[in-house]
Amino acid sequence: QLNKATVVDIGCGTGNYAAALSPFVGQITGVEYNSGMLEQAKNKATCLPNVKFIHGDATKIPLPDGVCDAVLCTQVIHHLVREEFSGLCQFLSEAKRILKEKGVLIINTCSPEQVFNCWMAPGLVPNAGKIASERFPPIDVLFSKMSDAGFTVNAVLTHCFQTLYAPSVFKDPLGPLSKEWRSLASSWFYASDEE
């Protein structure tokens, strides 16, 4: 039963998903490495008794074995160590460890092609687009690493880019000229001064 489920949100950021899910689940714990984001998340949870946030690393989750029914990981895996996707492998192993026997892992990510062709405006910032897109594991690699960690992929939902962000924001032709606009996606960090 979903209303009794225990969920762990890995890389919860400022706690938006945890707060939104709180009315529908039994307990949700957000795990965040960035102290500034963690503080914002904690501020959102002051009136949410079934939500808590803790400091932690996706590759060393500070929770006991078999503690949750579901692990949620939204737009995080590209931030993990890139060497042969070792950070991804460590995360998957940790997710498997903290899940109950029939627990589920939900990963929201993009393919490298989605990032390069949609997110990074390749004609505008081709170098940054290439660097950013290479941080995302190809979907077949993700499946392989999940299988290696003992997961079975039961469903894959493909979304179009427009469902992630408000089209009015990302279709603004002057958007890339605004620092605030670029701050909406961490991948813009890779843009060179020339770009």
Side-chain angles (χ1 to χ4, degrees):
Q1 292 181 336
L2 186 59
N3 66 343
K4 294 181 181 173
T6 301
V7 178
V8 175
D9 182 3
I10 301 295
C12 67
T14 61
N16 290 338
Y17 286 102
L21 288 172
S22 67
F24 307 102
V25 300
Q27 175 72 37
I28 187 159
T29 301
V31 179
E32 177 55 45
Y33 184 79
N34 181 290
S35 298
M37 289 185 165
L38 182 62
E39 198 58 38
Q40 290 180 54
K42 286 180 177 179
N43 289 336
K44 287 181 184 170
T46 56
C47 297
L48 302 172
N50 66 333
V51 178
K52 70 177 179 176
F53 294 101
I54 60 174
H55 184 264
D57 182 332
T59 63
K60 297 177 189 138
I61 302 170
L63 293 170
D65 296 358
V67 73
C68 62
D69 300 297
V71 170
L72 174 65
C73 183
T74 303
Q75 295 296 325
V76 171
I77 60 176
H78 61 283
H79 292 293
L80 304 177
V81 178
R82 174 79 167 99
E83 297 294 319
E84 298 296 315
F85 298 107
S86 62
L88 171 62
C89 294
Q90 290 170 318
F91 159 67
L92 292 170
S93 176
E94 282 290 278
K96 188 71 171 174
R97 179 185 66 76
I98 67 169
L99 280 166
K100 294 177 182 174
E101 187 176 332
K102 294 188 179 192
V104 297
L105 170 62
I106 301 165
I107 297 176
N108 177 319
T109 190
C110 296
S111 71
E113 297 79 17
Q114 285 174 309
V115 173
F116 185 78
N117 293 322
C118 298
W119 200 322
M120 291 303 298
L124 184 62
V125 286
N127 186 53
K130 181 179 183 309
I131 293 169
S133 66
E134 289 173 351
R135 295 184 59 83
F136 288 78
I139 300 303
D140 62 327
V141 170
L142 176 58
F143 288 177
S144 174
K145 301 296 185 188
M146 290 176 73
S147 178
D148 291 349
F151 289 100
T152 301
V153 177
N154 291 324
V156 177
L157 304 175
T158 305
H159 55 73
C160 64
F161 178 72
Q162 288 79 10
T163 62
L164 289 177
Y165 299 99
S168 61
V169 173
F170 277 87
K171 290 189 178 196
D172 177 1
L174 299 178
L177 302 177
S178 160
K179 184 177 182 179
E180 181 181 43
W181 187 92
R182 290 190 306 271
S183 73
L184 295 172
S186 60
S187 299
W188 281 92
F189 169 79
Y190 301 106
S192 66
D193 290 339
E194 295 79 32
E195 289 180 314

